[in-house]
């Protein structure tokens, strides 16, 4: 049969997994993985929108000519990633598509806008305060220098996706009010003030959500969170901002492009 590929648009605008999924029995790729990757691709592209229901496992297995355990394993792989949920009496339902972000010097607000995710913001903290030792080190300023601390929850289509904490020199730009921060991204404001980020140092990790973090992001306590720490610089080497961010692993991932050495 044909090698699996990206989902094709269905007419009349509905992506039918039973008709669209292609499996290759001669491929070394496991059959369940072929099914899962095509379903995930359809969810990511929006072809399978949040709320869409999948055929039950028996019906889908029959349409694909595969065993029920194979289809069950594929669906479980999506459930483990938080892309679908299984509900007794309802079946398997798509809950959302995950935001995939390239590791570039861009803002989450800009990336979500480019993906048509309708970004929103809930401002938690917007103050000027003396820099502690760690923040002073990151911003390359003297301890107790006044810095701007900004904490926000970023939303995608009205759903919380990240908790962001940024520190900036207090005199870098005129400090905006909460109403401005609710509708515009931080990097957007910096660009408007003539500040250009040229380079950054960034580290990415993971940890379990605390109870407070879980409540803030709509997750369960102990759920996996991605962490990102970034320090951004101008072309002249001036530190622009230092940020520590948390992302829901169920709703967000970083994409890396890798090259071979030879």
């Amino acid at each position: 049969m044909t090698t699996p590929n990206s989902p094709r648009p269905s007419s009349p605008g509905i992506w039918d997994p039973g008709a669209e999924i292609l499996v290759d029995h001669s491929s070394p790729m496991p059959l369940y993985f072929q099914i899962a990757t095509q379903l995930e691709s359809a969810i990511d592209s929006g072809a399978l929108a949040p709320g869409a229901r999948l055929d039950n496992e028996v019906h889908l297995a029959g349409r694909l000519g595969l065993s029920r355990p194979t289809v069950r394993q594929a669906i479980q792989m999506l459930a483990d990633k938080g892309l679908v949920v299984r509900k007794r009496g309802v079946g398997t339902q798509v809950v959302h598509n995950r935001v995939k972000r390239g590791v570039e010097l861009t803002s989450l607000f800009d990336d979500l806008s480019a993906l048509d995710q309708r970004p929103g913001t809930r401002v938690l903290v917007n103050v000027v305060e003396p820099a502690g030792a760690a923040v002073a080190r990151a911003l390359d300023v003297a301890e107790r220098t006044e810095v701007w601390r900004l904490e926000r929850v970023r939303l995608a289509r009205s759903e919380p996706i990240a908790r962001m904490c940024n520190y900036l020199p207090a005199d870098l730009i005129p400090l905006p009010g909460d109403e401005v921060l609710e509708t515009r991204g931080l990097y957007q404001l910096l660009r408007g003030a003539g500040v250009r980020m040229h380079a950054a140092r960034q580290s990415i990790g993971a940890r379990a959500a605390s109870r407070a973090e879980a409540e803030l992001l709509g997750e369960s306590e102990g759920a996996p969170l991605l962490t990102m720490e970034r320090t951004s610089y101008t072309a002249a080497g001036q530190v622009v901002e230092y940020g520590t961010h948390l992302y829901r692993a169920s709703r967000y991932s970083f994409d890396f492009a890798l090259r071979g050495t030879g």
Side-chain angles (χ1 to χ4, degrees):
M1 301 184 73
T2 309
T3 302
N5 52 20
S6 296
R8 302 168 293 174
S10 287
S11 81
I14 298 174
W15 198 84
D16 177 5
E20 296 290 341
I21 290 176
L22 304 174
V23 293
D24 182 359
H25 291 267
S26 66
S27 170
M29 184 184 296
L31 295 176
Y32 81 87
F33 191 81
Q34 293 183 37
I35 300 168
T37 53
Q38 290 177 76
L39 286 170
E40 182 173 358
S41 182
I43 293 170
D44 285 344
S45 71
L48 277 176
R53 288 188 174 88
L54 304 182
D55 288 339
N56 67 55
E57 293 170 0
V58 174
H59 188 209
L60 186 55
R63 295 185 68 189
L64 295 174
L66 300 172
S67 68
R68 182 180 180 182
T70 297
V71 172
R72 183 188 302 121
Q73 193 172 3
I75 300 299
Q76 187 59 50
M77 183 175 169
L78 299 180
D80 291 342
K81 291 184 175 184
L83 299 176
V84 301
V85 293
R86 288 166 156 170
K87 299 179 180 178
R88 186 177 296 277
V90 175
T92 302
Q93 188 172 18
V94 177
V95 286
H96 49 236
N97 57 332
R98 179 183 292 173
V99 175
K100 293 186 177 181
R101 183 183 184 188
V103 182
E104 300 175 357
L105 188 48
T106 57
S107 73
L108 179 55
F109 188 94
D110 291 341
D111 291 340
L112 291 175
S113 297
L115 294 169
D116 192 29
Q117 290 289 317
R118 299 199 299 269
T121 305
R122 187 161 75 244
V123 179
L124 305 176
V125 178
N126 180 19
V127 298
V128 172
E129 63 184 23
V135 171
R137 235 180 356 261
L139 292 179
D140 195 23
V141 297
E143 198 169 338
R144 300 201 62 76
T145 298
E146 287 199 333
V147 297
W148 175 25
R149 176 164 67 99
L150 177 60
E151 294 189 27
R152 296 154 294 162
V153 173
R154 179 72 77 222
L155 311 173
R157 295 180 180 269
S158 301
E159 184 180 3
I161 191 170
R163 192 278 293 161
M164 303 180 295
C165 179
N166 296 82
Y167 296 88
L168 301 90
D171 58 357
L172 187 64
I173 64 171
L175 300 188
D178 289 1
E179 65 283 352
V180 174
L181 294 166
E182 288 169 356
T183 57
R184 301 183 66 189
L186 177 58
Y187 280 20
Q188 190 178 28
L189 292 171
L190 291 172
R191 289 194 299 268
V195 179
R196 295 290 184 269
M197 274 73 69
H198 176 73
R201 292 172 51 230
Q202 180 169 288
S203 61
I204 297 171
R207 63 175 175 79
S210 68
R211 178 177 299 178
E213 292 163 348
E215 290 177 356
L216 197 62
L217 294 174
E219 288 283 0
S220 302
E221 184 177 358
L225 299 177
L226 297 173
T227 66
M228 184 181 78
E229 188 172 330
R230 174 188 282 183
T231 306
S232 305
Y233 305 84
T234 65
Q238 176 192 3
V239 180
V240 175
E241 56 100 17
Y242 166 63
T244 59
H245 302 168
L246 293 173
Y247 301 88
R248 296 172 62 186
S250 64
R251 289 287 285 111
Y252 193 89
S253 65
F254 292 100
D255 276 358
F256 296 83
L258 304 177
R259 295 182 179 178
T261 58

